[in-house]
Amino acid sequence: MSALTGTNAAAAAPVSPAQTLRLVPGTATPATGPDIRSDGPAPLRLLDESREIAMIARSTVQAAIEVLAGTRPVQQLARRLDPRCLAALQHRAALTRRVASGSSPTAGRLHRNPSVRSVRACRVSEDVYEASAVVLEELRVRAVALRLERGKLAWRVTVLEIG
């Protein structure tokens, strides 16, 4: 430790190029030294498609429940949901707000503090997946089912059923 700066001398020492770390695709540990392959670095491996679908489903379900709670605008889901699903979600959110303003003591706590507990995805065909999710809220546990279809640019939810 240096008496003047209070830092460790080893931490402040310059690092040589041979000591720097680089990530090597397909391995769990980083390697050191220059890349010895002549064809250049390998392309990064894409996530497993079912894991990607599960992540898309999780974020979409979380956002949809937040729309129902009134904490997220429905237009944020316009790129992920097809127009029919978006219109149905917007209609349900309006109905939920109307019920929440009523006289029921528990209606104001509908869809509060939602968290997606689990997601399962199943491949139906090359371009279609169906997924289910369990959502834990303040008052209850909900089941959500959705169907995702591969579009030209991204996966889109064509069916969204919130129980």
Side-chain angles (χ1 to χ4, degrees):
M1 189 135 171
S2 171
L4 295 176
T5 62
T7 60
N8 192 347
V15 179
S16 71
Q19 292 174 328
T20 59
L21 299 177
R22 64 179 173 81
L23 294 178
V24 176
T27 63
T29 59
T32 59
D35 192 358
I36 58 172
R37 288 178 288 178
S38 62
D39 61 345
L44 294 176
R45 212 177 304 158
L46 292 176
L47 286 175
D48 181 35
E49 193 171 73
S50 62
R51 284 185 56 205
E52 178 187 6
I53 294 298
M55 289 187 319
I56 292 170
R58 178 180 293 275
S59 64
T60 303
V61 168
Q62 180 74 37
I65 297 296
E66 289 172 3
V67 166
L68 294 179
T71 59
R72 180 186 292 259
V74 72
Q75 290 307 315
Q76 286 186 1
L77 287 170
R79 295 181 67 196
R80 182 65 65 201
L81 300 179
D82 77 342
R84 286 183 330 210
C85 286
L86 190 68
L89 183 63
Q90 190 169 17
H91 180 71
R92 183 168 174 175
L95 291 176
T96 302
R97 280 192 302 275
R98 187 178 307 159
V99 168
S101 65
S103 61
S104 173
T106 60
R109 295 187 346 218
L110 287 174
H111 308 297
R112 296 295 180 230
N113 300 322
S115 67
V116 179
R117 303 299 287 176
S118 66
V119 176
R120 302 285 186 262
C122 178
R123 184 176 181 173
V124 176
S125 69
E126 187 173 320
D127 294 333
V128 177
Y129 273 84
E130 290 183 349
S132 63
V134 176
V135 179
L136 180 64
E137 295 178 355
E138 191 173 298
L139 297 178
R140 61 200 289 182
V141 176
R142 294 182 178 276
V144 180
L146 54 157
R147 182 180 179 97
L148 295 104
E149 296 180 7
R150 188 187 318 261
K152 294 177 184 172
L153 301 175
W155 289 94
R156 290 194 65 140
V157 176
T158 58
V159 177
L160 177 65
E161 293 291 330
I162 301 173

